[in-house]
Amino acid sequence: MRRFVEQADRGQWTLLPECLDDFIDESNPVRVIDVFVDALDLAEMGFEGAEPAATGRPSYHPSVLLKLYIYGYLNRVQSSRRLEREAGRNVEVMWLLGRLAPDHKTIADFRKDSGLALRKVCARFVELCREMGLLATASVAIDGSKFKAVNNRDKNFTRAKVERRRAQLEESVARYLSQLDTADRHEPTEALAAKVTRLNEKLTKLKDEMGKLATYEKQMLASPDQQISLTDPDSRSMATSGRGSGVVGYNVQVAVDTEHHLIVTHEVTNSGSDRAQLANMARQAKAVLKTETLEAVADRGYFSSSEILACHEADITVTLPKPMTSSAKSEGRFGKQDFVYLPEKDAYRCPAGEQLPYRFTGEEDGKRVRRYWTTACQNCLLKSQCTTGPERRIPRWEHEHLLDAVQQRLDANPMAMRQ
């Protein structure tokens, strides 16, 4: 009695389908890629080589390389060398490319030289999704991801990195000079002479590195963001979610349709923070979707009062949580969220029940801010839980009703952040 699935004999002759098309099911995604690419006007989109050259060695038509590129994107095959291998062993790719097998350099050059054209292909795909009714809901989710550049960390310089590197070099120089002083106090020998020569060579090398570091520092200070990358000049050092970790790379912003999870628009930035990206990405998504209004959700990393105001002015309704950064709350005292604004009286009600009336308007970081406080704090039993000063003063931005509306939407639909 057989207890395992039996293997086939490798030497057994079999009658396989003679047609490669028989291996590809009618619902296979590669058929969609094939039809989609064949319907594009690649010359109009800016792909080089769409028209064959009169002389020279025949080249691959850009449609072949585009199909391979899209297949790799959908199947998370990013490496040009891996795509080259798939073209020679993967039946789906063989069918898609008509058994053509471009080499990895051809694939890499196509990706490098066709950036603008590939963006137009993405735009055409979004247009197709709209025509098919897949983007009928004017709602997007915005998020960012950090992508590592080819620039090594040691080839990226900030003010702090330059200072740390200089301190390391100065410590090494001092150590070698100390060893030379020690050597001077000993009787000269052949071994000692060789050691002194090595130490002098190391000192010369360190002085050269100090000179290079001074040059890098000058370039770094002249940069607008006081940061330079030597290998990939556009890449920047960015913090990641892990404590003490970071990456030299890019921040890729993406707006995704909330119903079908289709990418509506994207943008590559070298800003490590998401805080200034909300309005820009939301406006781009609104333009792509061709809608009068738009709903956008994002995480707390995008919370910025000026960005929320910009979205409001563009008829974009945003929903995102506010980060809890109150120093009073972290120290065990009442935070601003414990004070209730009374719009009919233009005053705040504190946890003790007292009202804090409006006092004056000032400017802070370019924003008009209204100030509220009461003189009843001195005799309040909750004063120690509220403030360490004479009274608790509450600031209110002139457009803070927009921030209140954002919080109300989040409270009314807490599941919006989990979609």
Side-chain angles (χ1 to χ4, degrees):
M1 181 178 180
R2 295 178 178 179
R3 304 302 301 168
F4 298 101
V5 178
E6 293 293 327
Q7 297 176 337
D9 185 359
R10 293 190 180 97
Q12 177 67 48
W13 286 71
T14 58
L15 184 62
L16 294 174
E18 296 182 2
C19 180
L20 187 60
D21 192 65
D22 292 339
F23 286 101
I24 307 301
D25 188 79
E26 291 295 329
S27 61
N28 196 304
V30 295
R31 293 187 179 274
V32 178
I33 299 174
D34 187 57
V35 173
F36 173 69
V37 174
D38 287 344
L40 299 175
D41 187 340
L42 300 185
E44 181 182 352
M45 289 184 169
F47 284 99
E48 297 180 1
E51 296 296 332
T55 60
R57 182 180 178 182
S59 61
Y60 290 101
H61 192 277
S63 64
V64 173
L65 299 171
L66 179 58
K67 291 175 183 179
L68 182 59
Y69 176 81
I70 296 175
Y71 180 88
Y73 172 79
L74 293 177
N75 291 276
R76 299 183 180 182
V77 182
Q78 301 174 353
S79 167
S80 57
R81 293 182 183 273
R82 287 189 60 194
L83 287 173
E84 178 185 5
R85 288 196 297 270
E86 292 299 307
R89 69 185 181 186
N90 189 319
V91 175
E92 290 182 343
V93 181
M94 290 180 184
W95 180 92
L96 185 61
L97 306 186
R99 291 190 173 177
L100 294 175
D103 64 271
H104 65 273
K105 188 176 188 308
T106 300
I107 299 169
D109 288 344
F110 170 79
R111 183 159 42 197
K112 176 173 65 71
D113 299 333
S114 306
L116 181 60
L118 289 173
R119 290 184 66 92
K120 292 181 179 179
V121 172
C122 294
R124 178 65 189 110
F125 177 75
V126 172
E127 183 68 27
L128 177 62
C129 292
R130 186 190 299 109
E131 294 172 0
M132 297 173 63
L134 298 177
L135 297 176
T137 304
S139 176
V140 298
I142 299 173
D143 203 357
S145 297
K146 306 293 173 55
F147 282 72
K148 186 177 180 180
V150 296
N151 200 103
N152 188 281
R153 285 188 184 183
D154 294 336
K155 297 295 184 179
N156 172 268
F157 293 90
T158 61
R159 184 187 292 270
K161 286 184 179 180
V162 168
E163 291 176 354
R164 286 198 301 270
R165 181 58 180 156
R166 178 177 287 113
Q168 292 171 357
L169 291 174
E170 290 175 349
E171 181 182 351
S172 297
V173 169
R175 185 172 66 254
Y176 292 147
L177 289 175
S178 176
Q179 293 178 14
L180 285 174
D181 290 340
T182 302
D184 287 341
R185 290 192 291 268
H186 289 77
E187 291 294 329
T189 63
E190 185 175 342
L192 185 61
K195 180 179 180 180
V196 170
T197 301
R198 289 196 303 270
L199 289 174
N200 284 324
E201 290 175 352
K202 290 180 179 180
L203 282 171
T204 301
K205 186 176 179 180
L206 287 174
K207 290 177 181 178
D208 291 340
E209 290 189 27
M210 292 282 283
K212 292 180 181 178
L213 188 64
T215 302
Y216 297 151
E217 182 180 28
K218 185 176 180 180
Q219 296 175 4
M220 179 268 296
L221 294 175
S223 176
D225 57 354
Q226 294 196 340
Q227 182 177 166
I228 61 169
S229 295
L230 303 182
T231 307
D232 190 346
D234 292 328
S235 62
R236 289 294 181 267
S237 179
M238 302 177 183
T240 53
S241 56
R243 177 175 296 181
S245 64
V247 62
V248 178
Y250 297 92
N251 186 1
V252 180
Q253 297 291 312
V254 178
V256 180
D257 165 59
T258 57
E259 183 175 356
H260 299 286
H261 303 164
L262 296 170
I263 296 177
V264 176
T265 186
H266 68 280
E267 183 171 292
V268 180
T269 73
N270 58 8
S271 172
S273 172
D274 296 331
R275 202 166 299 280
Q277 307 299 326
L278 180 63
N280 175 43
M281 292 305 300
R283 280 195 292 259
Q284 288 189 40
K286 184 183 175 198
V288 170
L289 294 174
K290 298 180 180 178
T291 180
E292 294 296 325
T293 60
L294 179 72
E295 293 183 2
V297 296
D299 59 37
R300 67 180 74 249
Y302 287 84
F303 194 95
S304 167
S305 56
S306 57
E307 291 290 302
I308 293 174
L309 175 60
C311 288
H312 173 75
E313 293 173 344
D315 292 326
I316 299 170
T317 302
V318 296
T319 303
L320 70 167
K322 183 177 181 179
M324 296 292 107
T325 57
S326 172
S327 59
K329 202 72 173 177
S330 63
E331 294 170 2
R333 302 194 303 273
F334 295 126
K336 183 180 178 180
Q337 62 271 27
D338 297 314
F339 291 74
V340 180
Y341 181 66
L342 308 174
E344 66 281 0
K345 297 181 179 180
D346 189 21
Y348 276 91
R349 185 177 67 244
C350 75
E354 293 288 341
Q355 290 191 14
L356 285 66
Y358 163 73
R359 298 294 183 175
F360 73 94
T361 299
E363 189 167 316
E364 183 177 322
D365 296 330
K367 302 176 183 177
R368 289 177 57 81
V369 179
R370 298 166 66 85
R371 301 285 180 176
Y372 301 77
W373 74 82
T374 178
T375 57
C377 293
Q378 296 292 341
N379 302 318
C380 181
L381 297 177
L382 301 179
K383 185 175 183 298
S384 61
Q385 303 177 43
C386 186
T387 181
T388 57
E391 67 273 326
R392 179 65 179 268
R393 300 193 176 197
I394 300 297
R396 183 176 178 83
W397 181 41
E398 62 176 335
H399 298 292
E400 193 145 343
H401 62 282
L402 299 178
L403 309 186
D404 294 338
V406 170
Q407 186 60 46
Q408 290 171 5
R409 286 194 292 272
L410 187 62
D411 294 339
N413 186 18
M415 295 300 295
M417 299 305 301
R418 300 183 182 181
Q419 293 181 356

